Amino acid sequence: MSSTSVNTIEALKHRIETREARVGIVGMGYVGLPLALLFSGERFRVTGFDIAADKVSTLNRGGSYIVRILPESIEEAQKAGFRATSDYSEIAAMDAVIICVPTPLNEYHEPDLSYVTGTVESLAPYIHDGQLIVLESTTYPGTTEEVMVPLLEKGNANSLKVVRAEGERGVHVAFSPEREDPGNDTVARHDIPKVIGGCDAGAVELGSALYGSIFRRVVPVSSPAVAEMTKLLENIYRCVNIALVNELKQLCMRMGIDMHEVIDAAKTKPFGFQAFYPGPGLGGHCIPIDPFYLSWKAREYDFRTRFIELAGEVNVNMPYFVIEQTAAALNEHRKSIKGSKILVLGLAYKRDIDDLRESPSLTLIELLREKGADVYYNDPYFAKVGRGRHYDLNMTNTPLDNLRQYDAVLIATDHSTYDYQGIVAQAQLVIDTRNATKGIRSGNIVRC
Ligand SMILES: NC(=O)c1ccc[n+]([C@@H]2O[C@H](COP(=O)([O-])OP(=O)(O)OC[C@H]3O[C@@H](n4cnc5c(N)ncnc54)[C@H](O)[C@@H]3O)[C@@H](O)[C@H]2O)c1
């Protein structure tokens, strides 16, 4: 490396070590906000960037819009200099910028990179020599180098380049996937190793210094594409294994075998087996979406990702399977879905979180309504649910009382605050898609 670029890298590493480095995080959502708090907790002065004016003002008021993040944590971060803004010109004052914006699919199930490209175009005019820019949003291999780097270079007035080789000057760019597991309190966030791949060795060195100050272990890889693919492998692994247990659950039901008992027995094997659990379908921002980023990219290489497609097919079918089981259970009581009053328990895509993106509960409600049911929901995390990218429900939370009035109570999300024994005791019929009623022998329960 030239002595100037070595000096720039060493100077920023020193600023990171002494906590003088200013960290900008773009996207104050489920990923970006907790990350900002981790850096603030380590005494970095953090600026959160977001285009949503309501989020910016809530944060600057010391408030929070994510249930598991308490306003006290925001206030604490403010004492360390945390504030939020929508003004991209402040990027110029940052030593490091981490991008955590959404990467959804469009209506044709293809990657929608518009949030990433929009962000990069907005910040490009303000980037500067020696700055570190890291993309954390989940995406297909090639995004950092093929999409982000050209936009950064095109968008700044000073003809600043992204550093690709030793000795060059410019901005350092890396990809480092987010690995958060919302609602999982068994692993502290700082204990989750942080993978990073850079466009040059300096980006990895700087990224390792920065992330090394909040994560116990940083795992450098040889390129952004390897880091991008690592994240997809992790999520595809989950998606395929969940599809496997969802399929085997359906077989087990026909054979009169309890799939959950089978999984509990199998997971006693101390090697070579990891437990995955069946459910009413996939939810969340990651598992139902990320695999399709890869299958889309694979087409460029004339390659079909058959495992992803098959897993998608099985998982997408799960809410339909649950509806069939509900219809069959009502039939046993001489009732039909049409005209039945059904309470769906749990809207969130998984237990104890306030996130309903891609939640199978939304599909279940829509399918039940299509079939003529009178549908209600209860979820302590959502007072009401209106319109999202893929649904338009316009419903409000129903209190958990007088359960006898419903023809069926459908457990779609197994929040730990529910009293399942009490629910089973009161309800005429319980459809349990999560094994939440495990061990309850009395009552009218259909586990599916
Ligand atoms: N939520 C998770 O558990 C999780 C886990 C691993 C990876 N990821 C990935 O992390 C990324 C972010 O996910 P998330 O759950 O935090 O999303 P989110 O929707 O909760 O937050 C994204 C934030 O970015 C903001 N934003 C959008 N465009 C912007 C722009 N141009 N400039 C500034 N802000 C902008 C939005 O207003 C929003 O506040 C996604 O790629 C996702 O796949 C999420």
Side-chain angles (χ1 to χ4, degrees):
M1 283 190 207
S2 77
S3 60
T4 337
S5 56
V6 170
N7 289 345
T8 325
I9 289 171
E10 287 309 318
L12 181 47
K13 277 171 69 181
H14 180 70
R15 285 169 67 74
I16 290 169
E17 225 167 83
T18 56
R19 305 299 189 250
E20 290 163 277
R22 290 194 57 185
V23 180
I25 299 190
V26 186
M28 289 284 93
Y30 288 95
V31 167
L33 183 54
L35 187 65
L37 298 182
L38 272 185
F39 279 114
S40 291
E42 271 304 318
R43 297 175 288 109
F44 284 96
R45 196 168 143 211
V46 180
T47 306
F49 294 80
D50 206 293
I51 44 171
D54 53 337
K55 289 188 176 174
V56 169
S57 59
T58 303
L59 292 173
N60 286 338
R61 253 190 284 118
S64 169
Y65 38 81
I66 297 180
V67 171
R68 68 200 145 89
I69 295 179
L70 299 175
E72 290 78 359
S73 314
I74 308 290
E75 282 167 18
E76 201 53 41
Q78 283 175 325
K79 287 182 200 152
F82 171 72
R83 47 180 289 282
T85 182
S86 297
D87 180 1
Y88 268 101
S89 70
E90 294 193 34
I91 290 287
M94 301 298 131
D95 292 288
V97 178
I98 301 175
I99 302 170
C100 310
V101 295
T103 42
L105 295 172
N106 67 18
E107 57 188 308
Y108 305 107
H109 261 235
E110 291 168 346
D112 173 4
L113 281 186
S114 60
Y115 297 93
V116 173
T117 54
T119 297
V120 175
E121 280 164 352
S122 303
L123 63 82
Y126 307 107
I127 58 177
H128 59 76
D129 192 23
Q131 198 175 33
L132 172 68
I133 300 184
V134 185
L135 178 63
E136 284 211 8
S137 305
T138 309
T139 184
Y140 58 78
T143 307
T144 306
E145 283 163 295
E146 294 164 15
V147 179
M148 184 167 147
V149 165
L151 284 176
L152 281 174
E153 292 184 331
K154 195 171 124 201
N156 73 88
N158 310 323
S159 306
L160 194 66
K161 292 281 172 212
V162 168
V163 180
R164 290 184 180 82
E166 279 187 23
E168 291 178 0
R169 292 206 56 160
V171 62
H172 300 278
V173 173
F175 181 84
S176 177
E178 167 51 48
R179 283 172 147 175
E180 206 203 355
D181 184 13
N184 179 351
D185 295 328
T186 59
V187 186
R189 190 116 189 253
H190 59 246
D191 281 330
I192 304 172
K194 196 81 175 101
V195 172
I196 184 164
C199 294
D200 76 305
V204 176
E205 207 177 322
L206 288 171
S208 300
L210 184 66
Y211 285 122
S213 54
I214 55 167
F215 294 103
R216 284 197 209 284
R217 187 172 163 219
V218 177
V219 183
V221 293
S222 61
S223 67
V226 170
E228 288 159 339
M229 188 69 171
T230 302
K231 172 72 185 177
L232 291 183
L233 170 63
E234 291 166 7
N235 282 355
I236 291 163
Y237 173 78
R238 281 188 64 76
C239 178
V240 167
N241 279 289
I242 291 169
L244 176 69
V245 290
N246 275 335
E247 187 174 75
L248 291 184
K249 173 180 79 171
Q250 295 174 52
L251 172 63
C252 280
M253 282 178 68
R254 281 200 199 176
M255 297 174 80
I257 297 169
D258 178 352
M259 180 64 183
H260 286 277
E261 191 184 348
V262 173
I263 295 169
D264 285 347
K267 77 178 186 194
T268 59
K269 186 179 177 184
F271 47 85
F273 182 83
Q274 188 188 348
F276 288 88
Y277 296 95
L282 291 184
H285 189 293
C286 302
I287 312 296
I289 292 174
D290 303 347
F292 294 104
Y293 267 69
L294 190 63
S295 45
W296 177 84
K297 186 68 178 173
R299 291 208 282 276
E300 194 182 311
Y301 294 83
D302 264 343
F303 195 92
R304 258 188 72 201
T305 48
R306 287 173 295 161
F307 271 105
I308 295 175
E309 284 167 31
L310 181 59
E313 203 181 302
V314 174
N315 290 329
V316 163
N317 191 49
M318 289 315 292
Y320 297 86
F321 172 74
V322 170
I323 297 298
E324 275 170 28
Q325 296 303 310
T326 307
L330 285 168
N331 192 48
E332 286 292 311
H333 292 77
R334 300 175 193 281
K335 292 177 184 173
S336 60
I337 288 184
K338 196 180 182 82
S340 282
K341 204 169 168 182
I342 298 179
L343 176 67
V344 173
L345 280 194
L347 277 190
Y349 76 85
K350 71 175 192 177
R351 181 195 301 168
D352 299 343
I353 63 164
D354 61 333
D355 190 347
L356 49 70
R357 288 177 293 179
E358 312 294 326
S359 173
S361 305
L362 304 169
T363 313
L364 289 171
I365 292 174
E366 280 182 335
L367 291 174
L368 287 168
R369 278 182 165 178
E370 266 169 43
K371 292 196 176 302
D374 187 12
V375 190
Y376 300 80
Y377 84 84
N378 175 276
D379 191 312
Y381 293 97
F382 301 98
K384 57 182 190 306
V385 57
R387 215 177 152 168
R389 278 169 74 90
H390 306 296
Y391 59 87
D392 187 4
L393 296 184
N394 192 22
M395 296 169 85
T396 49
N397 191 37
T398 305
L400 253 193
D401 51 19
N402 189 16
L403 293 185
R404 205 81 208 147
Q405 65 179 301
Y406 301 103
D407 297 290
V409 173
L410 197 168
I411 302 172
T413 313
D414 51 343
H415 287 311
S416 55
T417 47
Y418 288 138
D419 164 17
Y420 294 102
Q421 188 87 52
I423 289 166
V424 171
Q426 285 183 55
Q428 295 185 45
L429 169 66
V430 172
I431 314 287
D432 179 5
T433 68
R434 298 281 190 178
N435 202 28
T437 58
K438 180 182 173 183
I440 301 177
R441 303 260 169 261
S442 56
N444 239 322
I445 308 170
V446 171
R447 297 186 176 95
C448 64

